[in-house]
Amino acid sequence: MKNQLIYICTLITLLGVSCKNVEQKQQQEKPKNVLFICIDDLRPELNSFGVSYIKSPNIDGLAAQGYLFTNHYVNSPSCGPSRYTMLTGQYGFQYRRHHNQQLFSRVKDLKQNPEIVNLSMPEWFKSHGYITVSVGKVSHHPGGRGGENWDEDSQPEMPDAWSQHIMPVGAWKTPKGTMHGLANGKIRTTKSRDVLETVEGPDTLYPDGLIADEGMKQLEALASGEKPFFLAIGLIKPHLPFGVPKKYLDMYSDVEIAPIPHPEKPKGPSSWTGSNEFMSYNRWGKDPRKDMDFAMKLKKYYAACVTYADKHVGDILNTLKKTGADKNTIVVLWGDHGWHLGEHAIWGKHCLFEEALRSPLIIYNPDMNYNGKKSNTVVETVDIFPTLCDLTQLPIPDFSDGASLVPIMENQNLKSSKAAIAYTSGGTTIRTDKYRFTKNEKGFVELYNHQNDGSETVNIADKYPEIVKQLEKQIIERVGEKAFDWDL
């Protein structure tokens, strides 16, 4: 009897190991999932990017396991066009005057001239058998719909892209209300536009708490399904207004905030902006360009908002691990553009300086042992679409303006001559490993040498006309004359 019991126990143990091995093999054979985390207005203000006073342990943990691109640049310093480039893998110069409505302009073309419109990234994955779900702010409008309150099902920003596109609204009642929401359902109006706020309470005081909760709910459901998934979760903070639960602000009570480098307005013509979005908020008569105490307070609130976003990233990643799908899921963390915290006397984005265009990009692939490897190669947002196709072994679309980053990730010694192109409605820029060149519709040009002027404070265009010509030619060779066609 004793020997029979030992035999049965041994058999059960072996069967358990065997079942586990089969399960692991099945997991490995399934197409890889994608978890894409977008964070709004997130400059590389993170510990993993060298900003030591910032508390960002969860993003830093992802960076320590994944691959970090220290010189990632978006293709436009504004939410709408930057997300257009990420979601389509194309620059979208033809919509440069359409500002945050680029995806809706694409919808119009899709109806009138469908042959000129290519599949978006989620459509591409969907056409290859993926379930595609977005939660929060992934396209420009949280939830991905149009209409007065951004909640009209008949007006999707991206038709046929998402199996579901979800925006929990809570006390804010509408997606539009959540976009600039303050605590407890307070929305931005002409009479209620405080630039910063802190309130005691839980994470769900602000919309991101709801977005993260819904994102985790969707992640659990998708991970238990049979099909591969592409799940995009878009967090709104640290976007204006700088509203944050007090417990995150308290983390910075004894933290010394770094002073603003090069806070002066550039001399001569440049892509300088008057920070109109920021200045439209209630600042109680204070101007951070003149009041350094107020400027430091704003930087502290921004830091607290980053830490608030980081907490949600941690919750999402922990949920992924609990489901077991982490073993077969590629994770991307992407900032939709940078944000000036007083550099060049700018508070905001919407310009073509380094601070507005450089943002975090971290890619984690469970098959690769990156262990926090970094690349200083210049890369750009349009590279993300082909990279994810490459990592998931899907065909790479020939219409993408970007290139897969996998060769760089697999070979740190690979020398690349990549450059990043970006634009606003009235300017186009290129960032190489050495220079930034910018041409404005008014005719003036800027040239900065990043090897000895990383702050972009000395315009040397008039001293180096040949370099100006070379970089202008490089832009035209990449994207054509439309790069400087201001009438598009």
Side-chain angles (χ1 to χ4, degrees), residues 9 44 153 172-173 213 229 239 273 287 290 334 368 428 468 481:
C9 290
D153 286 334
W172 295 272
K173 297 182 179 179
D213 286 349
F229 64 81
H239 192 289
T273 173
D287 186 339
K290 301 174 183 177
W334 173 76
M368 296 296 291
T428 300
V468 167
E481 297 288 346

Coordinates of all heavy atoms in Angstrom, one line a residue, residues 9 44 153 172-173 213 229 239 273 287 290 334 368 428 468 481:
C9 N 1.7 9.4 -5.9 CA 2.2 10.8 -5.7 C 3.2 11.2 -6.7 O 3.2 12.3 -7.2 CB 2.8 10.9 -4.3 SG 1.5 10.7 -3.0
P44 N 11.5 63.3 -20.6 CA 12.4 62.2 -19.9 C 12.7 62.7 -18.5 O 13.9 62.6 -18.1 CB 13.6 62.1 -20.8 CG 13.3 62.8 -22.1 CD 12.2 63.8 -21.8
D153 N -20.5 57.7 -30.8 CA -20.1 56.5 -31.4 C -20.0 56.5 -32.9 O -19.2 55.8 -33.6 CB -21.0 55.3 -31.0 CG -20.8 54.9 -29.6 OD1 -19.7 55.1 -29.0 OD2 -21.8 54.4 -29.0
W172 N -16.7 63.0 -14.1 CA -16.5 64.0 -15.1 C -17.5 63.9 -16.2 O -17.6 64.8 -17.0 CB -15.1 63.9 -15.6 CG -14.1 64.2 -14.6 CD1 -13.5 65.4 -14.2 CD2 -13.5 63.3 -13.6 NE1 -12.7 65.3 -13.2 CE2 -12.6 64.0 -12.8 CE3 -13.6 61.9 -13.5 CZ2 -11.9 63.4 -11.8 CZ3 -12.9 61.3 -12.4 CH2 -12.0 62.0 -11.6
K173 N -18.3 62.8 -16.3 CA -19.4 62.6 -17.1 C -19.2 62.4 -18.6 O -19.9 61.7 -19.3 CB -20.4 63.8 -16.9 CG -21.0 63.8 -15.5 CD -22.0 65.0 -15.3 CE -22.6 65.0 -13.9 NZ -23.5 66.1 -13.7
D213 N -7.7 51.5 -13.7 CA -8.6 50.4 -13.2 C -9.2 49.7 -14.4 O -9.3 48.4 -14.5 CB -9.7 51.0 -12.3 CG -9.1 51.3 -10.9 OD1 -8.0 51.0 -10.6 OD2 -9.9 52.0 -10.2
F229 N -3.4 39.7 -28.2 CA -4.1 41.0 -28.0 C -3.1 42.2 -28.2 O -1.9 42.0 -28.0 CB -4.8 41.1 -26.7 CG -3.9 41.0 -25.5 CD1 -3.1 42.1 -25.0 CD2 -3.8 39.8 -24.8 CE1 -2.3 42.0 -23.9 CE2 -2.9 39.7 -23.7 CZ -2.2 40.8 -23.2
H239 N -0.2 65.8 -18.0 CA -0.8 66.9 -18.8 C -1.4 67.9 -17.9 O -1.9 67.6 -16.8 CB -1.8 66.3 -19.8 CG -2.3 67.3 -20.8 ND1 -3.1 68.3 -20.5 CD2 -2.1 67.3 -22.2 CE1 -3.3 69.0 -21.7 NE2 -2.7 68.4 -22.7
T273 N 7.8 79.9 -28.5 CA 6.3 80.0 -28.4 C 6.0 80.7 -27.1 O 6.8 80.6 -26.1 CB 5.6 78.7 -28.4 OG1 4.2 78.8 -28.1 CG2 6.2 77.7 -27.4
D287 N 3.7 84.7 -13.0 CA 4.3 84.3 -14.2 C 5.6 83.6 -13.9 O 6.6 84.2 -13.4 CB 4.6 85.5 -15.1 CG 5.1 85.2 -16.5 OD1 5.6 84.0 -16.7 OD2 5.0 86.0 -17.4
K290 N 9.1 85.0 -14.6 CA 9.6 86.0 -13.8 C 9.7 85.7 -12.3 O 10.5 86.3 -11.6 CB 8.8 87.3 -14.0 CG 8.7 87.8 -15.4 CD 7.7 88.9 -15.6 CE 7.5 89.3 -17.0 NZ 6.5 90.4 -17.2
W334 N 5.7 54.9 -23.9 CA 6.0 56.0 -24.8 C 5.4 57.3 -24.3 O 4.2 57.3 -23.9 CB 5.4 55.6 -26.2 CG 5.4 56.6 -27.2 CD1 6.5 57.1 -28.0 CD2 4.3 57.4 -27.7 NE1 6.1 58.0 -28.9 CE2 4.7 58.2 -28.7 CE3 2.9 57.5 -27.4 CZ2 3.9 59.1 -29.4 CZ3 2.1 58.3 -28.0 CH2 2.6 59.2 -29.1
M368 N 14.0 38.6 -25.0 CA 15.4 39.1 -25.0 C 15.8 39.6 -23.6 O 15.0 40.2 -22.9 CB 15.4 40.3 -26.0 CG 15.2 40.0 -27.4 SD 16.4 38.9 -28.1 CE 17.8 40.0 -28.2
T428 N 9.6 73.0 -39.8 CA 10.1 71.6 -40.0 C 11.5 71.5 -39.4 O 12.3 72.4 -39.7 CB 10.1 71.2 -41.5 OG1 8.8 71.2 -42.0 CG2 10.6 69.7 -41.6
V468 N 23.7 73.8 -43.4 CA 22.3 74.1 -43.6 C 21.7 73.5 -44.9 O 20.7 72.9 -44.9 CB 22.1 75.7 -43.6 CG1 20.7 76.0 -44.0 CG2 22.3 76.2 -42.2
E481 N 9.4 67.5 -51.1 CA 9.2 69.0 -51.0 C 8.1 69.3 -50.0 O 8.0 70.5 -49.5 CB 8.9 69.6 -52.4 CG 10.0 69.4 -53.4 CD 11.2 70.3 -53.1 OE1 11.1 71.2 -52.2 OE2 12.3 70.0 -53.7

